[in-house]
Amino acid sequence: MDQLLNDFSPGLFFMQAIILLILIGLMRKFAWKPILDALQSREDGIQEALDAAEEAKKEMTSLNADNERILKEARAERDGLLKEARDIKEQIILEAKEEAQEQASSIMESAKAAIDVEKKAAIAELKTQVAHLSIEIAEKVVKNELSSKDDQLKLVDKMLGDVTLN
C-alpha cells in the first residue's frame, strides 16, 4: 500500500479524473439517454400490451356473456319448437283417432245396412218358399180330392213333415 501512495501522481490523477468525467458525459449523452429511452419505450410497450390484454380479457368476458345469452335463447327456442312439435303431434293423433272413429262408425252403419238388406232378402225368400210350399201342398190336397177331413189333415201333416227348411 505504501508503494501505491509513493507512486501517486496528482497530475495523472486529475487527467484520469477529467477523462472519466468526459467518458461519463459522453456515456450520458450517447449511451444512457438511448438506453433509458429504449427502456422507457419498452416499458410503454409492456404497459400497452398489458392494457390490450386487459381490454381483450374484458372483451372475452363480454363475448362469453353474449355466447351464454345466445345459448339460453337457442335453448328456449329449441324448447318452444319441441313443445310446438309435441302439440302438433298430439293434434295429428287426435285428428287421426277422430277420423278412424268416423270411418269405423261409417263402416258399422254400412254393415248394419247390409245386414238389414240381407235380412229382408232372406225373409222375402223365406216367404216365397213358404208360399210355394203352401201352393204345392194345396195342389196335392186338391188332386187327391180326399173325401174325409181326417185324411186331408193326415196328408197335410205328412207333407209338412216331409218339407225341410234350408
Side-chain angles (χ1 to χ4, degrees), residues 9-101:
S9 158
L12 182 61
F13 175 76
F14 285 115
M15 220 22 189
Q16 286 179 349
I18 290 174
I19 291 174
L20 180 63
L21 289 176
I22 291 172
L23 278 176
I24 289 176
L26 287 174
M27 293 273 290
R28 185 171 182 203
K29 184 175 183 181
F30 293 111
W32 286 343
K33 187 168 184 172
I35 289 173
L36 290 177
D37 289 343
L39 287 175
Q40 185 63 39
S41 67
R42 184 170 176 177
E43 184 179 330
D44 292 343
I46 291 172
Q47 187 61 43
E48 287 176 7
L50 288 174
D51 292 343
E54 187 66 32
E55 186 67 30
K57 184 178 177 183
K58 288 178 184 177
E59 192 172 323
M60 284 296 286
T61 304
S62 173
L63 287 174
N64 283 339
D66 287 346
N67 286 343
E68 196 64 34
R69 180 185 51 81
I70 290 170
L71 280 173
K72 285 181 183 177
E73 289 175 2
R75 286 182 186 127
E77 186 175 344
R78 179 200 65 197
D79 291 343
L81 289 174
L82 287 174
K83 183 182 182 301
E84 184 178 338
R86 274 188 235 110
D87 292 344
I88 289 172
K89 177 188 84 168
E90 289 174 4
Q91 183 180 3
I92 289 172
I93 290 172
L94 183 63
E95 289 173 1
K97 284 181 181 178
E98 289 174 358
E99 185 176 334
Q101 188 67 30

